[in-house]
Amino acid sequence: MTQWLDPVEQRAWQAIVALMTRIPGALDTRLQRESGLTHFEFRVLSLLSEEAGHRLQLSDLAHKANASLSRLSHVVSKLERLGWARRDTTAGRRGVYAVLTDEGFEKVIEAAPGYIDAVRRLVLDGLTEKQTAHMAVLGETLSDRLNRILVEDGD
């Protein structure tokens, strides 16, 4: 028989659900309005901008972006059409790379201030420094556990 969530577990879960459903939409709205990007597109571009040579193997990029290879491939195709990324292969190495173009790097630079402002306004400004540090530890703990479970389950 299923054991229901106790009141504290229920509060924690409801808070996580609210964050999971509301923050992405708010970030998408802001980024679309100001930069013509979705949150996921910005995430992909910014992850590439942080890499040496602004390039990363698609499978590694999918892992870092917490996305399926299929979803990432669709987004990279869109970014290619816009001139912000391109695909590349390296002789003697397996796999395809996503490479941020100069125009894509400019797009990240253009969109970053609005994105950072939205993250602060929606989340971080409501927390003390200590709460932010605690949230970082909790988020990393939950993310690590989720990754382990998904690997074990083959997802």
Side-chain angles (χ1 to χ4, degrees):
M1 181 173 182
T2 300
Q3 181 178 348
W4 298 105
L5 299 177
D6 69 35
V8 174
E9 291 172 328
Q10 183 67 15
R11 279 182 53 217
W13 179 242
Q14 290 303 324
I16 289 171
V17 168
L19 293 172
M20 288 185 329
T21 56
R22 298 193 72 200
I23 290 174
L27 290 172
D28 272 346
T29 298
R30 171 103 182 234
L31 282 166
Q32 284 280 5
R33 182 178 62 238
E34 294 181 359
S35 303
L37 292 167
T38 66
H39 180 236
F40 186 68
E41 292 163 354
F42 176 78
R43 178 88 174 125
V44 169
L45 292 172
S46 66
L47 285 168
L48 288 171
S49 76
E50 296 166 0
E51 293 295 322
H54 296 171
R55 63 187 290 119
L56 196 58
Q57 195 168 23
L58 285 179
S59 58
D60 293 335
L61 182 56
H63 177 75
K64 285 187 173 201
N66 297 310
S68 69
L69 196 51
S70 174
R71 178 180 185 206
L72 179 69
S73 184
H74 287 292
V75 168
V76 169
S77 292
K78 179 181 177 184
L79 297 174
E80 282 182 298
R81 286 191 303 275
L82 294 168
W84 298 335
R86 63 182 169 79
R87 292 173 206 255
D88 193 18
T89 56
T90 302
R93 300 183 102 180
R94 293 183 50 158
V96 176
Y97 289 78
V99 181
L100 187 66
T101 64
D102 291 342
E103 294 83 8
F105 187 72
E106 293 290 327
K107 192 64 173 175
V108 172
I109 299 300
E110 170 198 316
Y115 177 76
I116 292 166
D117 179 63
V119 168
R120 284 199 173 112
R121 186 164 178 255
L122 294 169
V123 180
L124 301 175
D125 287 348
L127 303 172
T128 65
E129 203 173 302
K130 187 175 180 178
Q131 288 171 323
T132 300
H134 192 79
M135 185 174 73
V137 170
L138 289 173
E140 290 164 353
T141 300
L142 290 169
S143 182
D144 289 347
R145 177 177 167 75
L146 178 62
N147 287 337
R148 280 192 313 276
I149 289 170
L150 293 177
V151 167
E152 289 169 7
D153 293 350
D155 292 339

